[in-house]
Structures are given as C-alpha cells and as structure tokens.
Amino acid sequence: MGKGRKYKPKKNFAEKRREKQKMKDKWNTAPQRSYKEIIRENKDFEAYYKTQKIVPDEQWTIFINKMKENLPVAFRITGSKAEAKTLLKIIKGDYFKEILNIPNSNICSDYKDAKPHSLPFYPEELAWQLQLTRKDIRRSEAFFKLHNFLITETNSGNISRQEVVSMVPPLVLDINPSHKILDMCAAPGSKTAQLIEMIHSDEKVPVPDGFVIANDLDNNRCYMLVHQAKRLNSPNILITNHDSSVMPNFTFTEADGSKRILKFDRILADVPCSGDGTMRKNPDIWCKWSPANGNNLHGIQYRIAKRGVELLEIGGKMVYSTCSLNPIENEAVLHRLLAEAEGSIHLVDGQNFVPGLVYNHGLTYWQPASKNLEHFNCWKDVPGHLQTQIRPKMFPPNKDEAEKYHLERCMRILPHHQDTGGFFVAVLEKIKPLPWEMDNYTLSAVNIVLKQPSSQSEEYGTNNEGKKRNLETDMKPCGPQKKRKRLQGYKEDPFVFFKNKNEDIWPSIQEFYDISDNLNPECLLVRCYEGKKKNIYFTSPRIRDLVMCNVDKIKMINTGIKTFVRCDNKNMICAFRLAQEGLNNIVHFIGDCRKIQILKEDLIMLLQNSDHNIPPEISKLNVVTQERLKSFAKGSCILIYEEINTANEYPLKLKLVGWRGSMSLRAYISTYDAIHYLRLLGGDCSMFEKNKFQENRDALALKVIKDKEADENNCSRQE
C-alpha cells in the first residue's frame, strides 16, 4: 500500500444501492425552480437588441411582451396522402370540437381561441397551431382527449409535434425525391423528419432515389434521431455521429463501378446557437442570457457553415439556420463566409417557398458587443483585453460593399409576427467551386472519377510534384485540419448485408411470401455476424452503397427499416413474420398468396381487439372474409382494405400486417397504430381512451379504503 494512503474497504452492492437512493431522495426533495418563478426579464437582452435594431422601434413593446408569453403548441400532419387528408378532415370537422372538451366555466374565457388553425405558409393545410401551451394540454383534465390524440398520432408517426418556425428551413430547401441531402446537426430530428417526408413525396415510388444522411456530434442525441426515423419507416436514411465542422467525405459507387466523392444536392446546417429565440419555450434562458454567448459560438457556427458549402454540389443549396436572434450568430457568419467565398456562393430569396410567412429581412449593419455591453463600430475601437472575445470577422461589411452580399435576403422570424418562437433562416446557392477548392483534391472530387485501388494501401495517381498519393489522402476535408477527436459513445453492432439471393435464411422467406426477384436481397441486412438473426432490415440501394463504401471511416449509428422479425412458432413453414414498419416498402414485391382483402366492419373488429391476448375467431367475421380465408395458409399475412364508392379525392387504402391462426385472425400492429386506423375508419376508440386524472382519483379512493380497512383490522387485533 502506498505511503500515507488510508485503506478504504470496498462497499458492497447493498451499501451502494442505499447511497444511491439517498442521493435520489435528496434530489427529489430539493427545491426546484418552476417556470412560473422565473422572472422573464433581462435588461442586457433588451439593451443589446434595441441597439441592434432587429425590431422597428414602434414594434418593440409588442415584441418584448410576446417574448415573455408561453409558446403555443403546433403540429404537422404526415403520412400518406390519403391518410393525411382523412386526418385533416377530422381536425377540421366536429371531432376536434369534441376533444377540446372545455367545460362551461371560467376556463372558457382563457381558451376561447383554443381551436386549431392552419399555418398559411405550409402546403395543403398540413400544419396547425393551437392557442394552448404544452402545460395547458398536459395538466388540464379538460384537454385529456386532445392529449391522448396527440400522443397516439405522434407515436404512430402520423403527426409530428414541432415548433412553427422549425418547419421553415426544410420548406425553403426546395427538395425533390432524387436529392442527396445532408442534415449536419440533425438532433433531435423534427426537421430531419420533414426532409424524409419530402424525399417520399411521390407515393408512386416506394423507394425513391434520394436519401438523407442525418448527422449529430452528440452520441446520445443520435438515438433521438433513431427514434424519429423509426416513426417514419423510411429505408432512405443513414444516421451518423461526427463533428460536422470536420465532416469527412463520403465515397459512393458510380454505375460503371468506379468510386467518387459524394457531393450533396441539399444541405441543412441548423447550427448550435445561444437559443434566445426559444425563450418562450425555455424561459430559463432569460436568467443566463449574455452577449458573450453569441460571440463564443460565432467560430464554430462559421466552421460548420464553411464545411457545409465544401460538401455542396455545384448548383446545390444549403440552408443556414439558428434559433437565435443575434446578428453575430447569423448575418456576421454569413458575411464572413460570403466574403471568403469570393462569389462562388450567394444568398437567394426563399420567400416563394413560404408564401404567407411574416418575417423581417436580414440586417446589413450591427454592432458587436462585449459581455459588459460595450458596443463597437469597428475593429480598431476594440481594446486589447477584448480582442480574444470580439474578432475582426464579426463586424458588418462597409456601406459601399454591403449591397453585393444581399444580406437582406435572409429571414428573421420574430415571436410577434405570427405568435411563434424566434428563428433565422438563410438560403445559400453554390454556383462554382470555392477558391480554396481549386487544387488537385477538388479537381479529383468534382471533375475526375476516382479509380478504386485493389486494396486500401495501393497507391494511385500523382500530384503536380510527382509524389505518390493514395485514396485516403484524397478524401480528407479541405483546409487546415484540427486534431481529430477519438470517437466516443456506444459500440455499434455491425451492418451485415445479405451477399446474394442464396443467403441461408432468404430462400424460405422468398418462397413463403412469393417475393418477386425484383426485390434485391442485397439491400437486406442484419446486425450480427453469428447466431440467430432476430430482425431483418431493408435499405435503399443507395444507402446500402454508402454503408459499404464508408463503414471503415464513418461512424454509423443506424440505418434500415425493420421488415422481417423472427417468429419461432411450431409448425410454421417460414421462421420470419412481416413487420408493420417495413411493410409499405416491400408490399408491392409480395405475391397475392399472402394478401387478404378485408371488409371495413371486419377490420374495425380486428383493430378493437388488437391488444387482447385472445384474437377474434374467424367464425365471427363476415362470410365473405371467411370464404377468402378457407384455403389461406397459416402464418403472417397482409390485410388490405380499400375504400370504394367514395367521393374522396384520395380514397383510403390501408395495408396492415396480420396473422392467420388455426381458428383466428388478428391485426399484428401496435396499439398506437390500431387507434390511428380506427380513427380513420370512424370506429369506436373509447376503449383505448385513458383519463389519467380519473385514474388517479380512483387509485386515491382505493388507497383510502384500504388504509381504512387496515386501521380497522389493527383496532380489532388490539381489542
């Protein structure tokens, strides 16, 4: 034992558990500040933004008062056209009046405008806002049905609860289904979800050519992206974990088998920021706000934006956005980037993509300030002790140069414009290679097809000095490189793709479901090398290629959508059942032998019994359905319902995973999906409705009765 060190006996498991419980109890009993107690005032905040003139003087009072109010709830309708339009009809009809169950009391005056209204700038009335806060909905019994509606539809992936201003960046990117898209700072994923929906906008193409790479630096936040992606059931997304300011290059395979460096058609750079635009949702920012917050973030925001335009294809577009109002984090970053790009990128106006959106144009003049609110007009005025906090590139362009940068094309959305949070959005277009890209690396990346060497160590080509170079060298990002951080986080399971149609488990699956040869089994993967394959996932061909080409140099977190699940049921011909998540992507490859046309009343009955242990007997179904099931083999199947003789422009066509048992038929889907489909079909969902307030009252009443009985028993024993 070392000199002077006291021996401390190791604590056993029970002692550690007791200590942990003490810490929990201490934490739970510690006084915590509620949002009500936070004083929504900050003199520095008001002084700083008055000086920056982000709001006209006559609107200042309206702006600052709105900043101090809580943020209303907003959501988007997602999913297929038919399901979205049916859900839209429900929201616009009497159903929403019923779930906004406001009693005839004082609450009426507080929530008289609670009924949702559509956002004018969002296409096809698919985005809505409620004049209620999250707290109103969660804590008031009057809105328990609304709360249930939002939870079930969110979990089934048919609505997305998202801030109004957060919906703008994907809209101004002008996306089509063939685009290669990078979301550089994607977590928590609401904008990523929008990008995926846009990729799948053409429902005639189940697996589009485009894709989304969603990246985030924080390993834990990457799993929030995984959760978002699972709700949307897309095989066209890859989630990665990298520092986006030094994002590595991806390579991909051309049609002729050669390798190229990937350039993106669209990039979303929603960069980390001070977040003062979210004060209505996060009022604790009022206590922490300082001008220094924006100054400290300017550098990393610029580096992310710069790396973004380097990864952009010529003719491609990048949206730079923040939830900050600060020009140091917004216009100053863009001015610096535009100045260094020397005309190779320019700002474009995104107004045409969001008609009806109210916003202020970008600033052309601002004043950087120190933590103590000393404002400066130019770099020469900055004293030496502040020159590490305020940098020369933070200052606005000279008046005679300001016009060429077109900073007025930026959009600053303020809370009082349409009762939202604050946000900043700018659209950049790349029109030619960047000045620092004009070297051998860029020429090979942009113009020259790279030949794939026979091994990673094989050298190829020469540079201007006649020195040998290899493929790995060519794939480094442009410009000076920071020392790469060691990748942290969980060790991911491998991505093991099927080699061909002779993969050991594939022939039995293909035969049982009569799967067409048009489905390439090489796009199926599992997450283990050995042992039983529990789940089989499906990806698009382009995502598969990206994984195969980059698996050794990119940290990949997740891809693929669950399509087949092992089901070791005795006497089953096939050991795998279908998964609802991946059904829409492969249903057109599956033969009619595993598809059952089902009547509306039968489907409603199956959905209402979906969470019961005992599924409905076939004898209880309509005779037409019974006849169809007579010669139908046991096992996993697809239930299909089509709306006929309807005036709807988009008639419902539902496809659900089912299970044909010996004597029964069931819908093999989650409870959330069952409620969603029941709602679309006009079925009774009341058996799924939970009033947590009534449940709590019942539990409390039961506890009182039990306590009373226990007291009476104690008294009788004592006697």
Side-chain angles (χ1 to χ4, degrees):
M1 218 181 296
K3 189 179 178 182
R5 285 183 64 187
K6 292 182 180 178
Y7 172 71
K8 290 184 180 178
K10 286 187 178 180
K11 295 174 184 174
N12 62 33
F13 177 75
E15 287 174 326
K16 285 181 180 178
R17 190 171 59 182
R18 282 195 294 270
E19 224 171 72
K20 196 173 181 181
Q21 189 58 47
K22 279 182 186 177
M23 291 299 293
K24 277 186 180 178
D25 294 342
K26 184 179 177 183
W27 176 261
N28 291 334
T29 55
Q32 293 184 19
R33 239 176 145 190
S34 70
Y35 280 170
K36 272 189 176 180
E37 295 171 13
I38 293 173
I39 299 170
R40 304 192 187 204
E41 284 183 12
N42 187 309
K43 290 181 180 178
D44 288 352
F45 174 86
E46 296 192 32
Y48 180 79
Y49 281 119
K50 276 183 178 176
T51 303
Q52 304 301 348
K53 298 191 181 300
I54 64 164
V55 184
D57 292 341
E58 65 275 11
Q59 294 179 23
W60 177 262
T61 305
I62 305 170
F63 160 74
I64 201 67
N65 288 340
K66 187 59 74 175
M67 282 288 289
K68 295 175 182 180
E69 293 178 9
N70 288 325
L71 187 69
V73 165
F75 61 89
R76 294 183 300 104
I77 304 171
T78 64
S80 70
K81 268 268 177 26
E83 290 183 38
K85 292 294 182 184
T86 306
L87 205 55
L88 177 61
K89 192 184 289 186
I90 288 170
I91 289 169
K92 292 170 77 172
D94 294 335
Y95 182 79
F96 241 78
K97 291 177 186 175
E98 181 191 335
I99 65 173
L100 288 171
N101 181 29
I102 304 171
N104 294 320
S105 64
N106 295 333
I107 200 171
C108 288
S109 58
D110 297 335
Y111 302 117
K112 60 184 178 182
D113 298 321
K115 191 178 178 184
H117 61 271
S118 64
L119 302 173
F121 64 86
Y122 204 92
E124 301 184 68
E125 294 185 294
L126 293 179
W128 291 74
Q129 188 175 33
L130 280 155
Q131 295 313 115
L132 296 166
T133 68
R134 288 180 297 176
K135 186 179 171 183
D136 293 332
I137 295 171
R138 192 171 60 248
R139 297 190 184 178
S140 172
E141 187 172 1
F143 305 120
F144 85 90
K145 285 189 177 180
L146 172 62
H147 190 227
N148 288 344
F149 171 85
L150 293 174
I151 287 174
T152 55
E153 294 300 334
T154 300
N155 284 314
S156 65
N158 292 284
I159 70 166
S160 182
R161 296 164 79 176
Q162 184 178 357
E163 277 194 65
V164 171
V165 287
S166 174
M167 302 175 192
V168 175
L171 291 176
V172 297
L173 261 178
D174 184 24
I175 288 166
N176 72 51
S178 65
H179 279 152
K180 306 179 290 290
I181 304 169
L182 172 64
D183 191 348
M184 299 185 80
C185 310
S190 56
K191 287 182 277 293
T192 309
Q194 258 182 286
L195 299 174
I196 296 168
E197 290 162 34
M198 291 171 174
I199 285 287
H200 289 277
S201 59
D202 185 355
E203 293 180 11
K204 294 175 183 175
V205 183
V207 184
D209 201 36
F211 58 83
V212 176
I213 295 177
N215 177 73
D216 203 85
L217 171 64
D218 189 313
N219 184 262
N220 289 325
R221 284 165 64 87
C222 283
Y223 293 94
M224 298 168 75
L225 293 174
V226 173
H227 176 71
Q228 282 280 17
K230 281 183 178 176
R231 286 175 54 247
L232 293 165
N233 302 330
S234 171
N236 296 65
I237 180 170
L238 173 63
I239 295 166
T240 62
N241 179 204
H242 275 280
D243 179 351
S244 52
S245 65
V246 287
M247 190 81 187
N249 291 306
F250 289 79
T251 52
F252 72 100
T253 310
E254 287 278 25
D256 61 2
S258 59
K259 302 289 181 185
R260 261 184 99 138
I261 290 175
L262 177 65
K263 295 287 183 177
F264 294 92
D265 301 305
R266 297 289 185 268
I267 292 178
L268 175 56
D270 187 49
V271 300
C273 65
S274 60
D276 56 18
T278 69
M279 283 176 162
R280 298 185 68 186
K281 184 176 71 173
N282 305 309
D284 52 320
I285 295 175
W286 283 100
C287 315
K288 299 182 276 190
W289 189 91
S290 162
N293 298 346
N295 296 345
N296 295 337
L297 288 162
H298 173 90
I300 186 62
Q301 291 164 339
Y302 162 74
R303 289 193 294 276
I304 293 171
K306 182 181 179 183
R307 184 61 188 141
V309 292
E310 287 171 357
L311 293 167
L312 200 59
E313 185 70 85
I314 306 299
K317 291 179 181 177
M318 181 178 89
V319 161
Y320 176 87
S321 63
T322 73
C323 50
S324 168
L325 309 177
N326 195 341
I328 303 302
E329 301 177 65
N330 298 320
E331 287 92 344
V333 172
L334 292 168
H335 167 236
R336 179 177 176 181
L337 188 61
L338 290 163
E340 292 185 10
E342 298 176 1
S344 54
I345 55 173
H346 68 147
L347 283 166
V348 295
D349 196 342
Q351 184 178 10
N352 294 336
F353 298 104
V354 280
L357 179 71
V358 183
Y359 64 90
N360 285 354
H361 294 286
L363 302 175
T364 55
Y365 179 77
W366 57 89
Q367 291 180 290
S370 69
K371 186 176 181 179
N372 298 322
L373 277 187
E374 297 174 75
H375 289 84
F376 303 99
N377 290 311
C378 62
W379 170 247
K380 287 186 284 186
D381 296 342
V382 181
H385 70 281
L386 291 176
Q387 288 185 358
T388 55
Q389 300 173 32
I390 299 172
R391 306 299 298 154
K393 300 292 177 69
M394 293 180 182
F395 287 87
N398 298 327
K399 287 184 180 179
D400 52 341
E401 289 186 341
E403 191 175 333
K404 73 177 183 181
Y405 295 113
H406 294 291
L407 292 171
E408 74 282 351
R409 291 175 180 168
C410 303
M411 297 186 282
R412 180 177 273 100
I413 306 161
L414 299 173
H416 65 291
H417 286 152
Q418 49 248 315
D419 198 8
T420 65
F423 218 75
F424 179 88
V425 183
V427 187
L428 292 156
E429 184 178 27
K430 188 173 183 179
I431 51 179
K432 60 182 180 181
L434 301 160
W436 57 90
E437 285 184 322
M438 298 304 293
D439 55 18
N440 292 330
Y441 157 74
T442 304
L443 291 173
S444 67
V446 178
N447 302 317
I448 300 174
V449 175
L450 300 177
K451 294 181 180 177
Q452 186 180 18
S454 57
S455 69
Q456 285 190 345
S457 60
E458 181 180 339
E459 295 177 328
Y460 78 100
T462 58
N463 59 20
N464 289 340
E465 297 170 354
K467 294 178 182 177
K468 293 279 183 181
R469 57 191 174 91
N470 59 37
L471 182 62
E472 198 60 38
T473 305
D474 273 355
M475 292 189 293
K476 287 182 181 176
C478 302
Q481 298 302 299
K482 292 198 309 181
K483 186 177 179 181
R484 287 187 66 180
K485 292 181 181 177
R486 187 168 65 88
L487 292 174
Q488 301 291 333
Y490 301 105
K491 185 180 179 182
E492 293 301 319
D493 292 330
F495 298 89
V496 185
F497 284 92
F498 285 15
K499 291 177 182 176
N500 50 49
K501 64 181 181 180
N502 296 320
E503 192 78 26
D504 59 353
I505 56 177
W506 177 243
S508 64
I509 296 173
Q510 186 176 22
E511 183 183 356
F512 182 74
Y513 293 104
D514 189 22
I515 296 175
S516 161
D517 288 333
N518 293 330
L519 174 62
N520 184 359
E522 293 178 11
C523 289
L524 298 170
L525 73 127
V526 293
R527 297 301 301 271
C528 61
Y529 287 114
E530 296 176 356
K532 274 191 173 183
K533 278 70 175 173
K534 287 177 64 179
N535 298 322
I536 300 174
Y537 302 87
F538 176 71
T539 65
S540 72
R542 296 193 75 173
I543 289 290
R544 179 194 184 277
D545 178 60
L546 285 171
V547 173
M548 297 294 284
C549 291
N550 301 280
V551 71
D552 293 329
K553 60 171 183 152
I554 306 282
K555 186 173 181 189
M556 300 176 189
I557 300 296
N558 194 268
T559 192
I561 188 69
K562 190 193 297 180
T563 307
F564 298 100
V565 179
R566 183 172 284 279
C567 185
D568 291 326
N569 219 335
K570 287 183 180 179
N571 305 319
M572 288 294 107
I573 302 168
C574 177
F576 286 84
R577 66 170 177 85
L578 292 164
Q580 182 68 29
E581 296 95 320
L583 182 61
N584 283 328
N585 299 301
I586 66 157
V587 66
H588 54 289
F589 295 118
I590 295 175
D592 291 339
C593 67
R594 298 313 301 165
K595 295 175 181 175
I596 304 169
Q597 292 285 337
I598 193 163
L599 302 178
K600 183 177 180 179
E601 59 266 29
D602 288 337
L603 183 55
I604 288 174
M605 184 174 72
L606 295 181
L607 292 170
Q608 288 173 337
N609 286 274
S610 62
D611 66 339
H612 294 175
N613 292 327
I614 304 172
E617 291 181 9
I618 291 173
S619 59
K620 293 181 180 178
L621 301 174
N622 187 286
V623 289
V624 176
T625 308
Q626 289 183 44
E627 193 62 33
R628 289 171 183 167
L629 287 166
K630 270 185 180 177
S631 57
F632 201 87
K634 290 187 293 183
S636 188
C637 59
I638 302 170
L639 309 175
I640 297 176
Y641 165 72
E642 292 186 65
E643 198 173 32
I644 54 174
N645 302 326
T646 177
N648 289 341
E649 185 183 356
Y650 300 98
L652 274 178
K653 183 173 182 179
L654 306 180
K655 295 178 281 291
L656 289 73
V657 170
W659 185 273
R660 203 280 196 209
S662 300
M663 305 291 290
S664 63
L665 182 69
R666 67 172 293 186
Y668 218 116
I669 59 174
S670 71
T671 303
Y672 294 124
D673 284 335
I675 297 169
H676 166 70
Y677 290 126
L678 273 174
R679 193 171 278 132
L680 297 183
L681 294 166
D684 181 14
C685 304
S686 59
M687 71 285 293
F688 298 107
E689 287 287 359
K690 290 184 179 179
N691 183 345
K692 64 179 182 180
F693 302 94
Q694 186 59 48
E695 287 176 356
N696 291 340
R697 284 194 294 268
D698 292 343
L700 186 61
L702 186 62
K703 185 177 182 298
V704 170
I705 292 168
K706 284 184 177 180
D707 289 346
K708 189 176 179 181
E709 287 175 354
D711 290 342
E712 287 173 356
N713 289 336
N714 287 335
C715 290
S716 62
R717 281 175 193 161
Q718 287 171 4
E719 289 173 0

